[in-house]
């Protein structure tokens, strides 16, 4: 499915463009924003490469990766929102990050809800999950507020910042999403 365009009340998700690279560095290049992510802060060149991959993935015939720009009404990138369909294609994993200066205004919640709208709406998925660092409290609250319950712990899930890390998995099912008032 291409191109993706999803409107929330304050944010919009759209396809990434090379011209977003400078703004993406303010998210993926930031120590605070990447502290709980699987990678260390990205350089400007690495952010360009991330966008190049996003553009390539967006054009794939059977698209499975939706790496989208989170933008303000004046089209400025303030975050990244990703949905990747699993090998079992009824399910997908989401990831999201916003520029730290904007945290605490419920924009994270809006971003997650837009990803769920995409997954359960246009993509007709049955299950959407996210994996967070055990001490990523903001991510915990955001996913819970969007109806993503805690499902369990993946021990030694990944290696991040030079150490093995567990992840806490959250998930929501399509019927839960349909009956809850958690839509954007
Ligand atoms: C995770 C992240 C996106 C959260 O962004 P944020 O804008 O601070 O999040 P929000 O303001 O939407 O959510 C925080 C709070 O709002 C709540 N919330 C958000 N939307 C809500 C809604 N519509 N209704 C009720 N509660 C809501 C959350 O539960 C939480 O509670 P509190 O403020 O009442 O204490 C941000 O911290 C970030 O980019 N972190 C770095 C990257 C990262 O860790 N990503 C997650 C990887 S798993």
């Amino acid at each position: 499915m291409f191109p993706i365009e999803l409107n929330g009340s304050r944010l919009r998700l759209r396809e990434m463009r090379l011209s977003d690279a400078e703004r993406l560095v303010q998210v993926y290049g930031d120590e605070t924003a990447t502290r709980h992510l699987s990678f260390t802060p990205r350089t400007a060149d690495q952010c360009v490469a991330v966008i190049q991959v996003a553009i390539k993935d967006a054009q794939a015939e059977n698209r499975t990766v939706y790496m989208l720009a989170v933008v303000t009404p004046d089209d400025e990138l303030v975050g990244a929102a990703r949905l990747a369909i699993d090998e079992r294609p009824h399910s997908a994993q989401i990831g999201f990050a916003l520029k730290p200066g904007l945290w605490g205004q419920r924009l994270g919640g809006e971003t997650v809800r837009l990803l769920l709208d995409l997954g359960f709406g246009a993509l007709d998925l049955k299950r959407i999950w996210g994996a967070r660092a055990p001490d990523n409290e903001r991510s915990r609250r955001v996913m819970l507020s969007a109806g993503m319950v805690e499902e369990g712990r993946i021990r030694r899930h990944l290696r991040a910042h030079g150490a093995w890390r567990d992840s806490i998995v959250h998930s929501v099912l399509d019927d839960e999403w349909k009956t809850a008032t958690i839509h954007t």
Side-chain angles (χ1 to χ4, degrees):
M1 195 166 297
F2 178 88
I4 297 297
E5 178 88 37
L6 286 157
N7 289 295
S9 57
R10 292 173 296 166
L11 295 174
R12 190 160 58 92
L13 303 191
R14 63 152 170 79
E15 302 292 347
M16 286 214 172
R17 303 173 189 142
L18 279 174
S19 54
D20 292 323
E22 241 175 76
R23 302 269 183 200
L24 187 60
V25 181
Q26 294 173 15
V27 187
Y28 277 1
D30 186 276
E31 286 279 349
T32 308
T34 53
R35 198 173 76 217
H36 296 298
L37 299 182
S38 58
F39 53 85
T40 49
R42 303 274 198 220
T43 63
D45 284 349
Q46 287 171 328
C47 286
V48 169
V50 165
I51 295 176
Q52 284 169 335
V53 171
I55 291 170
K56 188 161 175 271
D57 286 339
Q59 287 159 358
E61 198 176 328
N62 291 311
R63 184 175 187 183
T64 56
V65 179
Y66 296 80
M67 173 64 164
L68 303 170
V70 182
V71 300
T72 57
D74 55 1
D75 206 37
E76 180 183 314
L77 181 145
V78 292
R82 186 170 188 272
L83 182 150
I85 297 176
D86 295 330
E87 200 177 335
R88 293 176 201 275
H90 66 285
S91 166
Q93 181 178 8
I94 59 167
F96 44 88
L98 295 177
K99 196 163 92 169
L102 295 177
W103 293 2
Q105 300 176 47
R106 303 216 156 170
L107 295 174
E110 189 168 327
T111 301
V112 170
R113 285 173 179 77
L114 285 169
L115 282 171
L116 299 185
D117 288 350
L118 169 65
F120 291 130
L123 300 179
D124 200 23
L125 297 171
K126 304 295 171 210
R127 161 189 162 80
I128 295 179
W129 62 285
R132 64 168 171 87
D135 56 349
N136 192 346
E137 182 56 26
R138 269 180 190 280
S139 176
R140 185 182 84 87
R141 294 204 308 260
V142 167
M143 287 199 275
L144 288 177
S145 80
M148 300 181 75
V149 298
E150 279 191 18
E151 197 171 68
R153 188 178 193 108
I154 308 178
R155 295 187 301 157
R156 211 169 281 173
H157 181 213
L158 47 87
R159 202 167 164 82
H161 308 274
W164 289 104
R165 197 203 84 188
D166 294 357
S167 289
I168 306 296
V169 172
H170 289 244
S171 70
V172 57
L173 305 178
D174 62 336
D175 38 354
E176 295 165 345
W177 177 81
K178 277 171 192 148
T179 53
T181 50
I182 55 176
H183 311 264
T184 46

